[in-house]
Amino acid sequence: MKENRSRGRPPYRALWHAGNQPFGTADSHLSERRSLLESTSSPALICFFGLAYLAYGTWLLISARRLRARGVRVPGVITGLAQSRDPDSSTCKPIFRFTTLEGHEVEVTSKFGEANTPRPGDRVSILYDPQKLRHARIDTGGQRGSAMGRILTGSGLLLVTLSVLITLNIV
């Protein structure tokens, strides 16, 4: 039997040192996954992404709550749809127009895309902050950012919890 001396790898038929399983078996793939999860960088990376999701999701929820508290609700109309930059995506960002209480007409492209957007000509309710007219949003959970905020906050909590469990060798 020839030995494989490239880059310090053990011979093909050798047993894997941690699980005593031959290379290429299903058990060796599970052991490799476990060793990846047990490495010190994986929990830190999972925790980093979890904290990032948690922070962005919380920011979206706080922004949506502030807009609901301070915002002015006015009628508006959808004037068009901006296609997503991704050619494989079916999401569109609605473009809407509304008139402020002071009489200024404003047209805004939504920051959030949706698959089921309202059609041009549809009447919608708009929430806007009088000091930040360009930050106006259509008054739905998806467009205010609260739905995405909940999803990201929940995902962030899940990832942070997972990283703690891996660090404590519970998972």
Side-chain angles (χ1 to χ4, degrees):
M1 173 166 43
K2 287 185 178 179
E3 286 191 38
N4 180 0
R5 296 182 192 267
S6 63
R7 297 186 183 190
R9 292 184 190 144
Y12 175 75
R13 296 266 183 208
L15 297 179
W16 194 51
H17 65 87
N20 290 332
Q21 297 292 325
F23 282 105
T25 65
D27 291 337
S28 69
H29 293 296
L30 291 175
S31 297
E32 289 170 12
R33 284 189 189 140
R34 281 190 198 115
S35 67
L36 177 65
L37 287 175
E38 291 169 354
S39 72
T40 57
S41 62
S42 292
L45 193 61
I46 292 170
C47 187
F48 172 78
F49 281 108
L51 290 173
Y53 281 19
L54 188 61
Y56 186 56
T58 303
W59 179 79
L60 285 174
L61 289 171
I62 290 170
S63 296
R65 180 169 285 170
R66 277 190 191 144
L67 185 61
R68 280 194 311 268
R70 295 184 200 162
V72 177
R73 195 172 267 110
V74 294
V77 64
I78 303 296
T79 58
L81 299 174
Q83 291 292 326
S84 171
R85 294 181 192 164
D86 182 7
D88 297 329
S89 176
S90 64
T91 61
C92 295
K93 294 180 180 181
I95 303 168
F96 55 93
R97 184 179 308 131
F98 65 97
T99 304
T100 65
L101 294 178
E102 293 79 27
H104 300 97
E105 194 168 275
V106 181
E107 188 168 87
V108 178
T109 300
S110 177
K111 293 180 181 183
F112 301 102
E114 290 183 281
N116 299 330
T117 56
R119 301 196 188 287
D122 286 355
R123 303 245 176 239
V124 291
S125 180
I126 306 294
L127 267 174
Y128 75 93
D129 183 342
Q131 282 127 10
K132 300 176 184 176
L133 295 178
R134 291 283 167 202
H135 294 254
R137 298 182 183 162
I138 298 173
D139 191 17
T140 64
Q143 289 294 314
R144 279 192 313 259
S146 58
M148 181 59 73
R150 287 185 189 106
I151 291 169
L152 288 173
T153 302
S155 299
L157 285 172
L158 181 71
L159 289 173
V160 169
T161 302
L162 180 64
S163 70
V164 169
L165 293 175
I166 290 170
T167 302
L168 297 174
N169 289 325
I170 295 174
V171 174

